[in-house]
Amino acid sequence: MKKRHFDVETDGFYGAYWKCKTGSDCAMIAMIGDDPEDYLARTSVKWLHKLGVNVMTMSPGKKDYGHHNYPLERIEKAINWLKMNSNQKIGIVGASTTGTLALTVASYFEDITLTIGLTPSDFIWQGFMQGKKDGCKEWPIEGESLFSYKGEPLPYMPFCYKHPDYWHVIEKETKRTGDMINSRKLFDDSEKAHPITEDEMIKIEKIHGTLLLIGAEDDVLWDTAKYIRRMKQRMKEHPHTCRLEFVIYEHGTHFVFPDSMLKTMLPVGSGLFVKLAFQAARKYPEECRRARLDIDQRVRNAVAKWKRVDR
């Protein structure tokens, strides 16, 4: 696949643009994977191209595997580039932490008219870094938010655990449950210690077009089901113009990817990978598979309708 690469130093953002061969005036900003040109990013591009859209893959930065004070201006610049290069409609999709980023970005920039958040939160939390530090694979960064705008960190929920206890809590829960990673206690304990304030909540009522939220009750990274329900309630309490669509599955794990996208990423053994990653998938494999099949259709329908109707 041909692509155009973008760097922060020369273009103002880190990403890659992949034009759909069939021709399209619609583009999705996709934040799947740790790098805009890694395997996960490329497979998400292949999947989205089949839906007839151009794709701009983005990530925080080269060999930057954390999320801390990520400038929203970078996505703002990517949006402007997409508009100047024949894209009449712009959407955004993110999963996990980037699902939260997708919601935040869409609440700031009205040019985005389709927002898909897979296992998102409804609030912004403290920034973190990944790598190796004092025997830890991840740690929070003091004084930094997940995202920033105009040089200022966005208000965030601080984690109640500092380094190295932050990672030790995750490590202990992961070992106890047998999951690939389990950080739910970290988030639950932090919200109890610091109830989310209005400033820290994502203003989803400012999102334009269609907002699709997808999560599962058995997510062990955080309580995305609770967060999605709060977003549903928030829409009832605030004037808005966007159309909210959401679904919460009893079983689906943190990997609520469309089934055919997951199979594109892992042509052999996609179901086995999810089982190995999460205990819930081992206990309820058929329920998780049915959830992914349903997600597949919901995302396809959302993109098709957006291309056809939303402006």
mmCIF file of all heavy atoms in Angstrom, residues 59 65-66 70 88 96 107 114 135 191 211 236 239 261 291 300:
data_model
loop_
_atom_site.group_PDB
_atom_site.id
_atom_site.type_symbol
_atom_site.label_atom_id
_atom_site.label_comp_id
_atom_site.label_asym_id
_atom_site.label_seq_id
_atom_site.Cartn_x
_atom_site.Cartn_y
_atom_site.Cartn_z
ATOM 1 N N SER A 59 -0.286 8.356 15.751
ATOM 2 C CA SER A 59 0.106 7.904 17.089
ATOM 3 C C SER A 59 0.906 9.036 17.735
ATOM 4 O O SER A 59 1.289 9.999 17.060
ATOM 5 C CB SER A 59 0.930 6.619 17.022
ATOM 6 O OG SER A 59 2.199 6.860 16.465
ATOM 7 N N TYR A 65 5.634 5.212 23.383
ATOM 8 C CA TYR A 65 4.549 4.257 23.587
ATOM 9 C C TYR A 65 3.647 4.603 24.763
ATOM 10 O O TYR A 65 2.873 3.789 25.226
ATOM 11 C CB TYR A 65 5.133 2.850 23.749
ATOM 12 C CG TYR A 65 5.992 2.446 22.568
ATOM 13 C CD1 TYR A 65 7.334 2.147 22.730
ATOM 14 C CD2 TYR A 65 5.455 2.419 21.280
ATOM 15 C CE1 TYR A 65 8.120 1.810 21.638
ATOM 16 C CE2 TYR A 65 6.236 2.087 20.192
ATOM 17 C CZ TYR A 65 7.572 1.774 20.371
ATOM 18 O OH TYR A 65 8.353 1.445 19.292
ATOM 19 N N GLY A 66 3.759 5.818 25.232
ATOM 20 C CA GLY A 66 2.876 6.266 26.295
ATOM 21 C C GLY A 66 1.884 7.277 25.756
ATOM 22 O O GLY A 66 1.804 7.539 24.549
ATOM 23 N N TYR A 70 -0.382 14.712 25.026
ATOM 24 C CA TYR A 70 -0.445 14.651 23.568
ATOM 25 C C TYR A 70 -1.176 15.888 23.050
ATOM 26 O O TYR A 70 -2.337 16.114 23.399
ATOM 27 C CB TYR A 70 -1.171 13.381 23.118
ATOM 28 C CG TYR A 70 -1.320 13.262 21.617
ATOM 29 C CD1 TYR A 70 -0.243 12.874 20.822
ATOM 30 C CD2 TYR A 70 -2.530 13.538 20.987
ATOM 31 C CE1 TYR A 70 -0.368 12.756 19.442
ATOM 32 C CE2 TYR A 70 -2.663 13.422 19.604
ATOM 33 C CZ TYR A 70 -1.576 13.034 18.847
ATOM 34 O OH TYR A 70 -1.710 12.939 17.484
ATOM 35 N N GLN A 88 -14.071 15.470 1.995
ATOM 36 C CA GLN A 88 -15.222 16.268 2.389
ATOM 37 C C GLN A 88 -15.765 15.884 3.758
ATOM 38 O O GLN A 88 -16.381 16.697 4.439
ATOM 39 C CB GLN A 88 -16.341 16.103 1.344
ATOM 40 C CG GLN A 88 -15.917 16.490 -0.060
ATOM 41 C CD GLN A 88 -15.493 17.947 -0.153
ATOM 42 O OE1 GLN A 88 -16.188 18.824 0.357
ATOM 43 N NE2 GLN A 88 -14.363 18.196 -0.789
ATOM 44 N N SER A 96 -9.328 1.688 23.195
ATOM 45 C CA SER A 96 -8.655 1.763 24.477
ATOM 46 C C SER A 96 -8.321 3.236 24.788
ATOM 47 O O SER A 96 -9.197 4.088 24.688
ATOM 48 C CB SER A 96 -7.398 0.881 24.471
ATOM 49 O OG SER A 96 -6.912 0.675 25.775
ATOM 50 N N SER A 107 -14.846 16.264 20.465
ATOM 51 C CA SER A 107 -15.527 17.294 21.256
ATOM 52 C C SER A 107 -14.909 18.674 21.045
ATOM 53 O O SER A 107 -15.520 19.689 21.378
ATOM 54 C CB SER A 107 -15.492 16.928 22.740
ATOM 55 O OG SER A 107 -14.199 17.103 23.302
ATOM 56 N N LEU A 114 -18.054 11.674 12.388
ATOM 57 C CA LEU A 114 -18.264 10.288 12.801
ATOM 58 C C LEU A 114 -17.181 9.954 13.814
ATOM 59 O O LEU A 114 -15.985 10.060 13.515
ATOM 60 C CB LEU A 114 -18.187 9.310 11.627
ATOM 61 C CG LEU A 114 -18.219 7.816 12.015
ATOM 62 C CD1 LEU A 114 -19.537 7.451 12.693
ATOM 63 C CD2 LEU A 114 -17.969 6.927 10.799
ATOM 64 N N GLY A 135 12.234 -1.672 36.838
ATOM 65 C CA GLY A 135 11.553 -2.955 36.762
ATOM 66 C C GLY A 135 10.080 -2.861 36.400
ATOM 67 O O GLY A 135 9.371 -3.862 36.431
ATOM 68 N N GLU A 191 -10.634 6.512 41.077
ATOM 69 C CA GLU A 191 -11.882 7.282 41.037
ATOM 70 C C GLU A 191 -12.507 7.397 42.431
ATOM 71 O O GLU A 191 -13.134 8.408 42.749
ATOM 72 C CB GLU A 191 -12.869 6.663 40.054
ATOM 73 C CG GLU A 191 -14.104 7.534 39.845
ATOM 74 C CD GLU A 191 -14.985 7.077 38.700
ATOM 75 O OE1 GLU A 191 -14.552 6.255 37.881
ATOM 76 O OE2 GLU A 191 -16.133 7.585 38.622
ATOM 77 N N LEU A 211 -21.969 9.496 17.045
ATOM 78 C CA LEU A 211 -21.048 9.002 18.060
ATOM 79 C C LEU A 211 -21.412 7.560 18.374
ATOM 80 O O LEU A 211 -22.523 7.277 18.835
ATOM 81 C CB LEU A 211 -21.141 9.856 19.329
ATOM 82 C CG LEU A 211 -20.421 9.326 20.583
ATOM 83 C CD1 LEU A 211 -18.923 9.174 20.321
ATOM 84 C CD2 LEU A 211 -20.675 10.262 21.773
ATOM 85 N N LYS A 236 -28.507 12.980 28.005
ATOM 86 C CA LYS A 236 -29.867 13.330 28.416
ATOM 87 C C LYS A 236 -29.894 14.665 29.143
ATOM 88 O O LYS A 236 -30.901 15.376 29.123
ATOM 89 C CB LYS A 236 -30.437 12.246 29.344
ATOM 90 C CG LYS A 236 -30.738 10.922 28.659
ATOM 91 C CD LYS A 236 -31.317 9.930 29.654
ATOM 92 C CE LYS A 236 -31.644 8.605 28.985
ATOM 93 N NZ LYS A 236 -32.193 7.622 29.959
ATOM 94 N N PRO A 239 -27.823 19.711 26.130
ATOM 95 C CA PRO A 239 -28.253 19.891 24.739
ATOM 96 C C PRO A 239 -27.163 19.391 23.790
ATOM 97 O O PRO A 239 -25.971 19.596 24.041
ATOM 98 C CB PRO A 239 -28.426 21.409 24.620
ATOM 99 C CG PRO A 239 -28.579 21.898 26.029
ATOM 100 C CD PRO A 239 -27.757 20.990 26.867
ATOM 101 N N MET A 261 -12.031 -7.380 11.266
ATOM 102 C CA MET A 261 -10.812 -6.605 11.471
ATOM 103 C C MET A 261 -9.806 -7.428 12.262
ATOM 104 O O MET A 261 -8.610 -7.458 11.939
ATOM 105 C CB MET A 261 -11.100 -5.287 12.202
ATOM 106 C CG MET A 261 -9.832 -4.488 12.511
ATOM 107 S SD MET A 261 -10.116 -2.990 13.463
ATOM 108 C CE MET A 261 -10.673 -1.878 12.174
ATOM 109 N N ALA A 291 -20.279 -11.253 19.992
ATOM 110 C CA ALA A 291 -20.149 -9.806 20.211
ATOM 111 C C ALA A 291 -19.327 -9.179 19.088
ATOM 112 O O ALA A 291 -19.699 -8.139 18.533
ATOM 113 C CB ALA A 291 -19.505 -9.526 21.564
ATOM 114 N N ARG A 300 -19.646 -1.262 10.378
ATOM 115 C CA ARG A 300 -19.867 -1.161 8.937
ATOM 116 C C ARG A 300 -21.085 -0.289 8.625
ATOM 117 O O ARG A 300 -21.041 0.568 7.735
ATOM 118 C CB ARG A 300 -20.068 -2.555 8.333
ATOM 119 C CG ARG A 300 -18.814 -3.405 8.263
ATOM 120 C CD ARG A 300 -19.144 -4.814 7.786
ATOM 121 N NE ARG A 300 -17.977 -5.655 7.753
ATOM 122 C CZ ARG A 300 -17.121 -5.737 6.733
ATOM 123 N NH1 ARG A 300 -17.344 -4.995 5.643
ATOM 124 N NH2 ARG A 300 -16.077 -6.527 6.769
#
